[in-house]
Amino acid sequence: MPDIGRVVVVGASAAGLTTAESLRRGGFDGLITLIGDELHLPYDRPPLSKQVLLGTWEPERTAFRDDATYQRLDVGLRLGATATGVDLGKRSVALASGDHVPYDRLVIATGVRPLKLRQGHDLRGVHVLRTVDDALALRAALAGATSVAVVGAGFLGSEAAAAARTLGLDVTLVDLAPVPMSRQFGDELGGWIGDLHRDNGVVVKTGVGVNRLLGDTEVTGVELADGTTVDADVVLVAIGSTPATDWLESSGIPLRDGVLCDSTCQAVPTVYAAGDVARWHNERFKVDMRVEHRMNATEQAMAVAKNILGDPKPFTPIPYFWTDQFDAKIQAYGIFPPGSTMTVAQGNPADRKFIAHYHHDGDLVGVLGWNMPRELRAARALLTQD
Amino acid sequence: MRVSIDEDGCVGAGQCVLAAPDVFDQRDEDGIVVLLDEAPAPHLHDATREAAVLCPALVIHLAE
Ligand SMILES: Cc1cc2nc3c(=O)[nH]c(=O)nc-3n(C[C@H](O)[C@H](O)[C@H](O)COP(=O)(O)OP(=O)(O)OC[C@H]3O[C@@H](n4cnc5c(N)ncnc54)[C@H](O)[C@@H]3O)c2cc1C
């Protein structure tokens, strides 16, 4: 094991916590400091747009670990602390409080932040969904509303639309793209997701952009580019996110839509990145990628911890993703680049139970399952064959 | 080692089955975890720990 006394992890969520736990499991007995700007004990995000929004889980249930576990792990948890910069020469992280936290190894795990609309975002009734506080604010707003417009039909917007519809609201899902989730999985698959939403009573308005949000102090609706308006008491803006790297801008750490790392998740010597914020070269697919999915946060953090403690190895995962919308559990392994060809390999989309294969340049690069979890696990094996 | 699971939080990712197929399985219809072995033999402990760490919903609990 190299001679390392202090590891500092910035970002106290899935990737940050897994880094800390994996270092301890790997035998590291030096100092670990986990710095996070949120006030809550680290918690999990996927339930926020599902169980928490639906009200079937109270927010406390999303906490990863209790206080006692952090003590047992001997992790110095600094919550409510915002990192504002890194001095690579002095090897220290600056905090908003004025403190400087020295490190031997630094792990950046600051995730992403939701993008906002340029206009109308300050109106009351306009929400984003990234944190537990966002989820509780949205849940409270939905409880007093009859209609909601969701701007952005990616996985987050689509999931939230499904939850709001399940709660009995009138829901309109809006996106400039021709169908929901087309950027993730293409137009044909996205069309089936649109059908799922329509069949459950969501008004799906795709292929049309948003002109502006309407209202003086409180939002009353959304004006679309085709001149029509959607009335809404609540608007959820789910138009994507941007890596939380503003605090690194003058640090000298390479940034390119995320922290730019090599294939071992190292950005510069002694500095690593993991989770939603990290862009690295995945040698398995021979592409630079940044993955905003829960499983990757765990796997990449485990890889970073191993690479800090031992011989660095390339991180070559098969990315995994899932989403739950109405009665559909959609799961996917691999990559789904634009221009891939999708074919149904098993089952039938009409039954909403099927497996799809995605080919790119003649290679099978992704498999997607719709309500077929066991079969999908078997299909994953196809991606590991050469 | 004793293994317990919180079925209600399971997201059916199947990572546990990939890591420790002798200890975990998935239900056919919804992919929810099925615990095959509550007290795995020592040679399965590493794989079981790996499964607990990998679980993206953190629903596998180990008492050692
Ligand atoms: C509502 C919702 C539902 C989701 N559902 C799914 C799903 O069904 N399936 C799936 O695969 N994925 C899902 N995801 C994605 C998944 O949650 C993310 O991939 C995962 O949270 C990434 O973890 P992370 O630790 O990299 O980043 P994050 O969870 O974003 O954590 C980063 C942390 O760093 C903090 N931070 C940022 N900047 C600073 C700073 N300068 N100083 C200190 N702290 C800082 C942030 O406040 C945050 O607490 C969902 C995400 C959301 C928001």
Side-chain angles (χ1 to χ4, degrees), chain A residues 10-17 35-38 43-50 64 78 81-85 95 109-113 129-131 135 155-156 159 244-247 274-278 291-298 320-324:
Chain A
V10 183
S13 186
L17 174 59
I35 297 167
D37 59 3
E38 295 187 71
Y43 61 88
D44 209 8
R45 294 181 208 277
L48 298 181
S49 51
K50 308 174 184 74
F64 286 123
R78 294 189 66 159
T82 305
T84 54
L95 301 185
T110 44
V112 297
R113 293 190 203 290
L129 180 50
R130 182 73 194 172
T131 66
F155 89 84
L156 183 65
E159 270 190 10
T245 53
D246 43 322
W247 62 289
D276 284 12
V277 77
V291 177
E292 291 185 18
H293 300 326
R294 178 64 184 79
M295 192 69 222
N296 185 65
T298 298
Y320 169 74
F321 162 83
W322 86 93
T323 177
D324 299 331

Side-chain angles (χ1 to χ4, degrees), chain A residues 26-104:
Chain A
F28 179 67
D29 59 7
L31 277 180
I32 301 178
T33 309
L34 186 55
I35 297 167
D37 59 3
E38 295 187 71
L39 289 168
H40 307 275
L41 278 181
Y43 61 88
D44 209 8
R45 294 181 208 277
L48 298 181
S49 51
K50 308 174 184 74
Q51 294 93 333
V52 174
L53 209 50
L54 284 170
T56 53
W57 283 18
E58 284 314 309
E60 295 74 40
R61 182 138 177 213
T62 62
F64 286 123
R65 307 284 182 229
D66 57 14
D67 255 328
T69 307
Y70 293 98
Q71 287 177 18
R72 190 164 44 74
L73 279 169
D74 194 15
V75 168
L77 197 53
R78 294 189 66 159
L79 297 177
T82 305
T84 54
V86 175
D87 187 328
L88 289 178
K90 291 197 181 122
R91 289 195 183 166
S92 83
V93 174
L95 301 185
S97 62
D99 279 4
H100 293 268
V101 187
Y103 66 83
D104 298 313

Side-chain angles (χ1 to χ4, degrees), chain A residues 339-353:
Chain A
S340 318
T341 327
M342 188 210 68
T343 45
V344 173
Q346 202 180 336
N348 187 344
D351 301 335
R352 294 196 168 136
K353 232 174 148 41

Side-chain angles (χ1 to χ4, degrees), chain A residues 64 295 329 331 374 377, chain B residues 11-12 25-26 28 54 58:
Chain A
F64 286 123
M295 192 69 222
K329 176 174 285 294
Q331 301 167 296
R374 279 177 67 107
R377 185 156 48 74
Chain B
V11 297
D25 198 358
Q26 282 177 284
D28 251 337
L54 277 172
L58 302 180

